[in-house]
């Protein structure tokens, strides 16, 4: 009886909470409906925060830009961010979190985006979605909402590329939307490359490490050109980009040991990017990980692939932690 009583109380609280949350989210929707800013929405199994911060840093060179801090990617989180708006912002950038089918559609109805970016699809949150296909369909609800409006899709990610349509703008470390990438290099000091398209030449110099960022540079540059920024402004913004907290963040010790803090990484594509970056560095390399969670039925398969990648890329030791 006690257990049934507790269950009844929890269900009653949830019953009361849902209408309140819906009302708060609807107020945020009304504010955004009348807000003059252009709205950019980012969806994907991984890379949303990195793309948000990259776009925010670059576009801020020529526009008044605002974006939520942290992972405010739920209806209530977005509603809290909306309360902080002054009304004179020119660009608003949102992350859209996905845990169940229909989540992205619901968030799009609140945010009402004008441009979308899909950073990729993988096994993240597979326990909730049940299949990668369900995750992909949910993430691509952003593209469904936008229709003929611009949608950028990360073609470096196999699953995202599979679900992309002809009208979508595919970007990758090789370029995209007529942009060509050349002289791409990365080290512990950062990443450089040159982007060219017709009369435009953008010389990228960023403190972000890893060649997996090059595709994001292409997307950010294309969006910035679309919104009227100059080449000088874009280069200045890219120069200001730096590693985000706990996302492939180099830390240099007095003993000469370099630690790459990637503790917020919880997805296979992120792990692959880290291993690829480590393989290109000189010296001895150790990989410390607790493994990945929320991989669902593919957990064993995903970790076997990671093990093979570590072996193939000359990682000296792997330390598993709990």
């Amino acid at each position: 009886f006690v257990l049934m009583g507790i269950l009844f109380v929890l269900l009653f609280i949830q019953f009361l909470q849902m209408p309140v949350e819906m009302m708060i989210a609807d107020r945020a929707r009304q504010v955004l409906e009348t807000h003059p800013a252009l709205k950019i929405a980012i969806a994907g199994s991984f890379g949303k925060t990195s793309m948000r911060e990259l776009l925010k840093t670059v576009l801020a060179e020529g526009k008044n830009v605002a974006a939520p801090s942290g992972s405010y990617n739920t209806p209530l989180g977005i509603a809290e961010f909306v309360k902080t708006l002054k009304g004179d912002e020119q660009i608003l950038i949102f992350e859209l979190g996905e845990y169940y089918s229909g989540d992205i559609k619901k968030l799009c109805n609140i945010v009402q985006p004008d441009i979308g970016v899909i950073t990729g699809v993988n096994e993240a949150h597979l326990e909730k979605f049940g299949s990668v296909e369900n995750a992909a369909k949910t993430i691509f609800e952003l593209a469904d909402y936008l229709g003929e409006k611009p949608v950028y899709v990360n073609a470096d990610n196999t699953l995202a590329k599979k679900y992309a349509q002809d009208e979508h703008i595919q970007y990758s470390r090789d370029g995209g939307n007529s942009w060509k990438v050349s002289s791409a290099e990365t080290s512990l000091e950062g990443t450089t490359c040159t982007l060219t398209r017709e009369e435009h030449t953008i010389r990228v110099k960023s403190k972000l490490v890893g060649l997996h960022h090059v595709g994001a540079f292409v997307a950010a540059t294309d969006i910035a050109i679309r919104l009227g920024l100059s080449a000088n402004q874009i280069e200045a913004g890219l120069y200001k980009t730096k590693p985000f907290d706990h996302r492939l963040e180099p830390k240099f010790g007095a003993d000469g040991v370099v630690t790459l803090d990637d503790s917020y990484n919880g997805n296979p594509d992120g792990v692959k990017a880290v291993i690829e970056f480590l393989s290109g560095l000189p010296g001895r390399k150790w990989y410390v990980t607790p493994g990945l969670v929320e991989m669902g039925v593919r957990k064993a398969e995903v970790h076997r692939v990671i093990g093979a990648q570590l072996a193939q890329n000359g990682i000296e030791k792997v330390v598993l932690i709990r």
Side-chain angles (χ1 to χ4, degrees), residues 52-67:
R52 181 197 72 198
E53 291 302 305
L54 174 58
L55 283 172
K56 181 181 177 182
T57 304
V58 172
L59 297 179
E61 289 298 306
K63 303 288 183 179
N64 181 0
V65 183

Side-chain angles (χ1 to χ4, degrees), residues 107-123:
L107 290 168
C108 283
N109 288 332
I110 298 171
V111 171
Q112 303 152 74
D114 303 291
I115 296 175
V117 182
I118 293 175
T119 56
V121 179
N122 64 22
E123 293 85 354

Side-chain angles (χ1 to χ4, degrees), residues 112-157:
Q112 303 152 74
D114 303 291
I115 296 175
V117 182
I118 293 175
T119 56
V121 179
N122 64 22
E123 293 85 354
H125 310 312
L126 193 59
E127 288 185 353
K128 293 184 175 69
F129 280 112
S131 72
V132 176
E133 290 72 21
N134 287 339
K137 289 176 182 176
T138 301
I139 288 166
F140 272 81
E141 288 171 2
L142 173 58
D144 296 337
Y145 179 92
L146 285 166
E148 296 181 358
K149 292 181 179 180
V151 177
Y152 290 78
V153 178
N154 178 11
D156 283 327
N157 177 255

Side-chain angles (χ1 to χ4, degrees), residues 42 44 48-49 52 68-79 81 94-99 103-104 107 111 125:
I42 305 166
K48 294 188 292 292
T49 299
R52 181 197 72 198
S69 58
S71 296
Y72 280 21
N73 56 16
T74 65
L76 290 183
I78 289 172
F81 165 67
F94 298 91
E95 285 184 51
L96 308 184
E98 83 291 335
Y99 299 96
D103 278 355
I104 299 298
L107 290 168
V111 171
H125 310 312

Side-chain angles (χ1 to χ4, degrees), residues 24-284:
I24 294 171
D26 190 59
R27 286 178 180 171
R29 181 195 62 78
Q30 292 177 38
V31 171
L32 292 174
E33 189 173 43
T34 58
H35 198 291
L38 181 138
K39 304 168 187 72
I40 301 173
I42 305 166
S45 300
F46 60 92
K48 294 188 292 292
T49 299
S50 296
M51 178 60 79
R52 181 197 72 198
E53 291 302 305
L54 174 58
L55 283 172
K56 181 181 177 182
T57 304
V58 172
L59 297 179
E61 289 298 306
K63 303 288 183 179
N64 181 0
V65 183
S69 58
S71 296
Y72 280 21
N73 56 16
T74 65
L76 290 183
I78 289 172
E80 282 299 307
F81 165 67
V82 168
K83 291 179 184 177
T84 69
L85 297 179
K86 298 178 181 178
D88 60 349
E89 297 85 0
Q90 295 172 294
I91 307 287
L92 299 177
I93 305 173
F94 298 91
E95 285 184 51
L96 308 184
E98 83 291 335
Y99 299 96
Y100 300 100
S101 296
D103 278 355
I104 299 298
K105 180 180 179 181
K106 183 190 301 182
L107 290 168
C108 283
N109 288 332
I110 298 171
V111 171
Q112 303 152 74
D114 303 291
I115 296 175
V117 182
I118 293 175
T119 56
V121 179
N122 64 22
E123 293 85 354
H125 310 312
L126 193 59
E127 288 185 353
K128 293 184 175 69
F129 280 112
S131 72
V132 176
E133 290 72 21
N134 287 339
K137 289 176 182 176
T138 301
I139 288 166
F140 272 81
E141 288 171 2
L142 173 58
D144 296 337
Y145 179 92
L146 285 166
E148 296 181 358
K149 292 181 179 180
V151 177
Y152 290 78
V153 178
N154 178 11
D156 283 327
N157 177 255
T158 303
L159 278 170
K161 186 174 182 178
K162 174 184 174 182
Y163 282 86
Q165 302 297 313
D166 291 341
E167 64 270 20
H168 298 156
I169 303 166
Q170 297 188 34
Y171 65 89
S172 73
R173 63 177 66 187
D174 296 320
N177 205 24
S178 298
W179 289 99
K180 303 297 181 184
V181 177
S182 61
S183 306
E185 296 181 358
T186 191
S187 69
L188 288 168
E189 282 70 46
T191 302
T192 60
C193 63
T194 300
L195 311 182
T196 54
R197 186 180 72 179
E198 298 172 351
E199 74 277 12
H200 297 293
T201 298
I202 308 294
R203 293 174 178 83
V204 179
K205 187 175 182 181
S206 168
K207 292 183 180 64
L208 291 170
V209 300
L211 293 178
H212 62 290
H213 288 297
V214 172
F217 296 154
V218 173
T221 295
D222 197 71
I223 292 172
I225 291 289
R226 180 187 294 274
L227 299 181
L229 271 71
S230 68
N232 287 339
Q233 288 174 321
I234 295 169
E235 289 180 355
L238 290 167
Y239 184 76
K240 292 178 181 178
T241 57
K242 59 184 181 179
F244 315 117
D245 291 344
H246 313 299
R247 291 174 174 86
L248 204 52
E249 178 187 10
K251 296 180 178 179
F252 300 87
D255 54 3
V257 174
V258 180
T259 302
L260 289 170
D261 181 356
D262 201 44
S263 52
Y264 277 9
N265 177 14
N267 73 89
D269 286 77
V271 171
K272 181 180 178 181
V274 174
I275 295 172
E276 178 189 43
F277 180 67
L278 284 174
S279 69
L281 297 178
R284 303 172 64 185

